[in-house]
Amino acid sequence: MSVHLVNPSDNSFGTAVITPRWLFVLAAATPTSAGEPILVDESIEQVVPESIMPGDIVGISVHTGNALRGYAVGRMARERGAWVVYGGIHATLFPEEALELGQAHAVVKGDGDIIWGEAVADCLAGTPRQVYEGGRIGGSEFLAARWDLIRPEKYMWASVQTIRGCPKHCSFCSVWRTDGQQPRQRRFQSVIDEIISLRRIGFRFIALADDNFYPVTLTDLHLAREQNNAARLEELTAIRAERFQLMEELSKLPKDMVFFTQITMEAGEDGEYLDAMRRANIKGALVGVEAVTPEGLKAVFKDFNYSGDALAKQLQTFKQHGVHVLGSFIFGLPTDKPATFDATVEMALKAGVTFAQFVMMTPFPGTIDFGRWEKEQSLDPTLVGDVPITRYWLIPTEVRPKMFTPHPSMSSTEISERTQRVWDRFYNWSSVWQRSACTPTLKARIAFMFLSKLYRQMYAGTGISTDSARRKKSKSTARWMARQCKRLFQAKPMPELRSPLWAMPIVPPPAFAAVVPVESPFIIHRD
């Protein structure tokens, strides 16, 4: 009997940018009685059906983007006599779908850190329950990953999680509903120990795979003081203090290490925090800009962001403090007009954004936008074949619409074409070369050029706004570029590196644990 953990994907590139962290955390959580787990990341290579035998346990984590492929893997595994268990954000939201279409024996909802071992034990006994409620665990119970099982030559960046949950309530994002708005912070000592284990095996580029690395804003502290809410102020101050402790310890790690994370725009008002990030070698962060107009920001419940010249100035503030921005922009908002596309790319270039992603508005399950859209569709449902448009992830990609909600003034084709032109303009060779000047050496500049083009190929060339012919060509190009880029990110292992002797011993979490991944992944999937 073997436990197989499968990260499903339709796109296999042979090399991946960032590790799917959940695979390695679930491996750490698998009970020793079940043996050494077999990890399959389909973004690198497809699962081999013949490797799955009767009585095996197959764990599959699905988000909305890979659910259809995940269900196909589950059906195949069940046909071969294996126990099939689903987890992840999509299975948490639609457990009945995983049971029916994915032919699951069981579904793990919420955090799997404590409950995964129980699900495995029940499968071994032949008595799995249909649904396991993992809930939301405390940060002290987050597990470190089994990085000893990784194939380092296949990944450019490793990933470590330091916190879950996001206090914001953006209409397009499901994280605050599934992971909660209360930040759940992992002990910084455990984070540092895990990062050191990665540097020992040759990873110096680490993504801090958090919902929001900046969980407490200056505005939050100000409001708590204004309201004379001493308990809330103490709580927020403690969370913030531990963030600074973590960054102080990161700053003591080998100087060749580079970190990347995800934060909100409000961090641009907090120079002290950005300076701590710079000292910690957190060189960059994904920042959700979303829209460049006040109307667009209001449409996505993100009017705490700036717009216009104030937006450009705040984005430049990150760079002035040594933190490079991967700006994320959404097209297809009801307030968008044809001129919005040019205005957005002009803003990204003017603000000095180092990287950018431009995505088409998609109503993801669990979000306010999805709930509103699903309610509207219930009156007169649109079908693609026999599948309701509100279950678009079940529609085969070759016939899946490019947009799901009608725009008041532009067709989906027009929005798709304009989105592609924005990608093309931001990532043309001359623009990328100018931005590469931010790197310190020629080797780093070459790496920047390759990574920029690879990012564009992987995420624009295979995304929802792309036609099938362009998608096929982009996959081929991305595979070649990924092999070249990987060489630029390789580092010499440091097996001699040791963890600090912490003053307080770390109490390990329970042995039976696993993590259900944040959907966003990771690079950079934000539903």
Side-chain angles (χ1 to χ4, degrees):
M1 192 285 303
S2 297
V3 174
H4 305 257
L5 302 174
V6 182
N7 181 47
S9 176
D10 287 316
N11 300 315
S12 298
F13 297 105
T15 300
V17 177
I18 296 183
T19 53
R21 178 175 172 75
W22 77 268
L23 273 180
F24 302 93
V25 178
L26 268 176
T30 301
T32 55
S33 59
E36 200 83 304
I38 299 168
L39 311 188
V40 180
D41 180 2
E42 288 200 315
S43 67
I44 294 174
E45 57 195 15
Q46 298 286 287
V47 65
V48 178
E50 292 74 21
S51 67
I52 298 173
M53 306 301 291
D56 286 357
I57 300 170
V58 179
I60 306 166
S61 179
V62 289
H63 53 73
T64 302
N66 69 1
L68 191 61
R69 171 60 187 168
Y71 295 155
V73 172
R75 290 192 298 270
M76 175 274 293
R78 183 149 185 169
E79 286 173 5
R80 297 188 62 81
W83 297 103
V84 177
V85 184
Y86 284 90
I89 192 169
H90 193 84
T92 295
L93 294 168
F94 296 100
E96 299 83 4
E97 189 179 277
L99 290 165
E100 180 183 352
L101 300 180
Q103 296 186 8
H105 292 92
V107 174
V108 175
K109 295 175 61 179
D111 290 341
D113 302 62
I114 306 300
I115 206 73
W116 169 249
E118 187 177 332
V120 171
D122 288 350
C123 287
L124 290 174
T127 57
R129 302 197 304 271
Q130 277 199 334
V131 176
Y132 292 83
E133 296 285 352
R136 297 172 185 161
I137 64 167
S140 63
E141 297 173 295
F142 295 0
L143 277 186
R146 280 283 307 273
W147 296 120
D148 58 304
L149 298 179
I150 197 173
R151 297 161 66 188
E153 75 279 3
K154 294 294 183 180
Y155 298 94
M156 301 179 202
W157 290 66
S159 53
V160 174
Q161 190 174 44
T162 78
I163 195 167
R164 295 182 199 166
C166 179
K168 302 304 176 185
H169 60 280
C170 305
S171 70
F172 57 85
C173 184
S174 62
V175 163
W176 60 279
R177 287 187 158 182
T178 55
D179 270 2
Q181 291 183 282
Q182 178 64 33
R184 293 173 288 148
Q185 192 159 225
R186 187 178 171 193
R187 292 191 183 101
F188 71 86
Q189 298 97 326
S190 176
V191 173
I192 296 298
D193 288 344
E194 185 174 349
I195 290 172
I196 287 174
S197 73
L198 284 164
R199 187 64 191 87
R200 283 167 55 86
I201 61 174
F203 282 100
R204 71 183 188 93
F205 291 89
I206 310 288
L208 303 177
D210 299 327
D211 298 327
N212 184 356
F213 191 79
Y214 185 59
V216 177
T217 70
L218 296 180
T219 300
D220 294 332
L221 295 168
H222 174 73
L223 288 175
R225 292 189 189 97
E226 288 288 304
Q227 296 164 358
N228 292 318
N229 189 337
R232 176 65 173 160
L233 182 60
E234 182 179 0
E235 176 190 17
L236 294 174
T237 302
I239 294 172
R240 181 178 170 88
E242 186 139 351
R243 293 278 90 186
F244 277 94
Q245 282 183 299
L246 170 62
M247 290 188 283
E248 182 180 353
E249 294 299 329
L250 288 173
S251 71
K252 299 174 185 177
L253 295 175
K255 296 306 179 185
D256 69 343
M257 299 199 73
V258 175
F259 300 98
F260 180 90
T261 191
Q262 178 170 289
I263 54 180
T264 58
M265 181 73 76
E266 293 157 299
E269 302 170 355
D270 194 339
E272 181 185 11
Y273 200 88
L274 293 178
D275 287 341
M277 289 176 65
R278 183 192 70 248
R279 291 192 296 271
N281 288 318
I282 302 175
K283 301 292 188 181
L286 184 145
V287 178
V289 182
E290 321 312 354
V292 300
T293 65
E295 297 80 14
L297 292 169
K298 186 175 182 181
V300 295
F301 294 13
K302 205 158 186 175
D303 42 4
F304 55 81
N305 272 10
Y306 289 113
S307 60
D309 290 340
L311 168 60
K313 184 177 179 181
Q314 190 165 20
L315 287 170
Q316 290 164 357
T317 300
F318 286 90
K319 197 169 183 178
Q320 290 163 4
H321 286 270
V323 178
H324 295 278
V325 170
L326 191 168
S328 182
F329 301 85
I330 298 175
F331 289 135
L333 301 175
T335 57
D336 283 353
K337 299 175 177 61
T340 302
F341 297 84
D342 286 339
T344 299
V345 72
E346 290 289 352
M347 173 61 71
L349 294 169
K350 176 182 178 181
V353 170
T354 309
F355 291 91
Q357 62 180 28
F358 308 96
V359 299
M360 292 173 65
M361 180 65 186
T362 303
F364 286 109
T367 66
I368 292 174
D369 289 341
F370 182 87
R372 185 166 47 207
W373 176 55
E374 188 175 38
K375 185 176 180 180
E376 291 169 355
Q377 278 286 315
S378 66
L379 303 174
D380 184 19
T382 300
L383 299 178
V384 178
D386 59 352
V387 181
I389 192 70
T390 54
R391 296 298 179 267
Y392 58 84
W393 54 88
L394 301 178
I395 302 170
T397 53
E398 59 268 19
V399 295
R400 189 179 299 170
K402 297 184 187 303
M403 284 193 68
F404 312 115
T405 55
H407 192 272
S409 63
M410 290 182 284
S411 69
S412 61
T413 299
E414 180 181 1
I415 293 173
S416 173
E417 290 174 350
R418 289 182 180 276
T419 300
Q420 281 299 321
R421 287 200 290 269
V422 168
W423 276 98
D424 291 342
R425 184 175 173 194
F426 188 83
Y427 284 99
N428 66 41
W429 283 111
S430 62
S431 295
V432 174
W433 177 251
Q434 289 178 21
R435 290 194 296 275
S436 71
C438 67
T439 59
T441 66
L442 179 59
K443 181 180 178 180
R445 198 164 188 176
I446 293 171
F448 182 97
M449 296 285 290
F450 268 99
L451 186 61
S452 294
K453 300 302 281 190
L454 176 64
Y455 189 82
R456 190 257 177 274
Q457 291 294 331
M458 281 186 165
Y459 295 97
T462 62
I464 195 171
S465 63
T466 313
D467 59 47
S468 59
R470 185 165 187 167
R471 187 181 298 118
K472 184 176 181 180
K473 181 180 178 182
S474 292
K475 284 183 185 179
S476 177
T477 304
R479 287 190 190 97
W480 180 85
M481 295 186 71
R483 289 194 297 271
Q484 315 314 312
C485 277
K486 179 62 188 77
R487 299 190 185 108
L488 296 169
F489 285 88
Q490 288 174 334
K492 185 178 179 181
M494 299 179 68
E496 73 284 357
L497 197 62
R498 294 289 180 266
S499 293
L501 295 175
W502 304 111
M504 296 290 291
I506 302 292
V507 179
F512 291 167
V515 68
V516 175
V518 171
E519 196 153 11
S520 140
F522 269 82
I523 224 177
I524 296 287
H525 192 80
R526 303 187 61 231
D527 59 325

